[in-house]
Amino acid sequence: QVQLVESGGGLVQAGGSLRLSCAASGSFSSIGRMGWFRQAPGKQRELVALITSGGVTNYADSTKGRFTISRDNAKNTVYLQMNSLKPEDTATYYCNAVGTVVGGSGVPLDYNYWGQGTQVTVSS
């Protein structure tokens, strides 16, 4: 099993910056793709950014050029540097990771895991 613990959310003025962190822990063989999603009140959860274990990144159009996703594979940690924040970035941000777990049968299986969420509020 994989536990994801996020940190770094908070309140910031428009134009400011925040850095989110998410550390994976537990019993797993490896952590593959990691990423961030967000959900604003009354809206569906949406992709913010993804990063593979090899460092290939993918961003939502709304975050390109302002947000940067990175990871430290040795620490099983993913980061999201958010610059030039806008009020519309206000949401609960969720860490996501694909973890490979070897079950009792000895077969490795991939599972999708979510963090508990961290609130980001951008004031105008």
Side-chain angles (χ1 to χ4, degrees):
Q1 298 300 318
V2 176
Q3 293 80 45
L4 300 175
V5 178
E6 301 135 335
S7 61
L11 173 64
V12 65
Q13 288 188 334
S17 298
L18 282 175
R19 189 189 193 215
L20 305 182
S21 300
C22 172
S25 63
S27 300
F28 51 86
S29 296
S30 63
I31 297 293
R33 187 201 72 210
M34 302 185 80
W36 293 92
F37 290 73
R38 67 187 181 187
Q39 188 167 18
K43 294 187 177 181
Q44 290 188 329
R45 191 171 297 189
E46 63 177 8
L47 169 71
V48 175
L50 297 173
I51 185 168
T52 68
S53 57
V56 178
T57 59
N58 184 35
Y59 295 91
D61 288 343
S62 60
T63 62
K64 282 179 183 176
R66 299 188 299 123
F67 292 8
T68 301
I69 190 170
S70 61
R71 65 188 286 170
D72 184 333
N73 288 334
K75 296 181 179 179
N76 292 312
T77 299
V78 64
Y79 306 95
L80 185 68
Q81 178 66 43
M82 304 185 292
N83 298 328
S84 302
L85 282 161
K86 304 175 181 180
E88 51 264 44
D89 293 318
T90 295
T92 301
Y93 283 68
Y94 295 92
C95 177
N96 174 261
V98 175
T100 300
V101 178
V102 179
S105 64
V107 177
L109 296 173
D110 288 344
Y111 295 92
N112 197 36
Y113 297 94
W114 293 94
Q116 79 285 358
T118 184
Q119 180 66 35
V120 171
T121 302
V122 184
S123 63
S124 56

